[in-house]
Amino acid sequence: RFEVKGLENFKVEGPCVIISNHQSILDMMGLMEILPDRCVQIAKKELIFAGSVGLITYLGGVIYINRKRTSDAKSVMDEVGRIMMKDNLKVWVYPEGTRNISNDLLPFKKGAFHLAVKAQVPIIQVVYSSYSSYIDR
């Protein structure tokens, strides 16, 4: 069971970039509780090859990014910015770039912030509290 606080922050009219930490696949259950309408996610390209998770993300409209080729990643993010503005979308990004179960945040990748600045849209922060106490049971 999830406790959601600050849902009023999602009442942003128009496009925006949503950033959140990422601990595990359990984040997706919380995501389904708060995912705003007209929102797409950005994920690493390797995820498409992750069996049923890859199929689910593909069918869910996730936009994949090749993190190993910076030029490809930048061109995808530029296209996401254009589509975000044209189609009035919200874009969800995990700026740590990978799952992280430590109590500290990893250094953020810059793509989400470049996207928000270039498109001149607000950034909404989402924090998943640690569920290590749940996992350790």
Side-chain angles (χ1 to χ4, degrees):
R1 194 158 131 104
F2 292 91
E3 179 182 350
V4 178
K5 296 178 183 178
L7 203 52
E8 66 276 4
N9 295 314
F10 275 100
K11 295 186 187 331
V12 172
E13 294 295 321
C16 67
V17 174
I18 302 167
I19 62 170
S20 71
N21 59 319
H22 182 31
Q23 297 174 63
S24 77
I25 195 70
L26 293 175
D27 294 346
M28 298 308 116
M29 293 189 314
L31 175 73
M32 293 302 119
E33 292 280 326
I34 62 174
L35 188 67
D37 291 337
R38 307 196 50 73
C39 184
V40 297
Q41 294 181 70
I42 304 287
K44 60 185 177 182
K45 186 176 182 178
E46 297 87 352
L47 196 59
I48 199 167
F49 304 109
S52 58
V53 171
L55 178 60
I56 290 166
T57 59
Y58 174 79
L59 294 173
V62 168
I63 298 169
Y64 300 100
I65 201 159
N66 185 352
R67 300 180 308 166
K68 293 181 175 146
R69 299 192 69 196
T70 304
S71 61
D72 288 354
K74 286 181 179 179
S75 66
V76 168
M77 292 302 270
D78 285 344
E79 183 64 17
V80 167
R82 283 190 288 282
I83 293 169
M84 177 175 67
M85 298 307 291
K86 181 175 78 68
D87 294 343
N88 193 29
L89 298 176
K90 294 172 176 33
V91 177
W92 193 297
V93 182
Y94 300 97
E96 290 177 283
T98 191
R99 293 177 306 243
N100 177 20
I101 58 171
S102 77
N103 289 329
D104 297 321
L105 291 173
L106 297 174
F108 285 0
K109 309 289 185 199
K110 298 175 189 170
F113 305 100
H114 286 296
L115 176 62
V117 168
K118 191 167 186 175
Q120 291 295 289
V121 298
I123 295 174
I124 298 173
Q125 305 89 26
V126 172
V127 177
Y128 291 104
S129 297
S130 174
Y131 23 81
S132 60
S133 61
Y134 172 78
I135 293 172
D136 292 341
R137 290 183 193 179

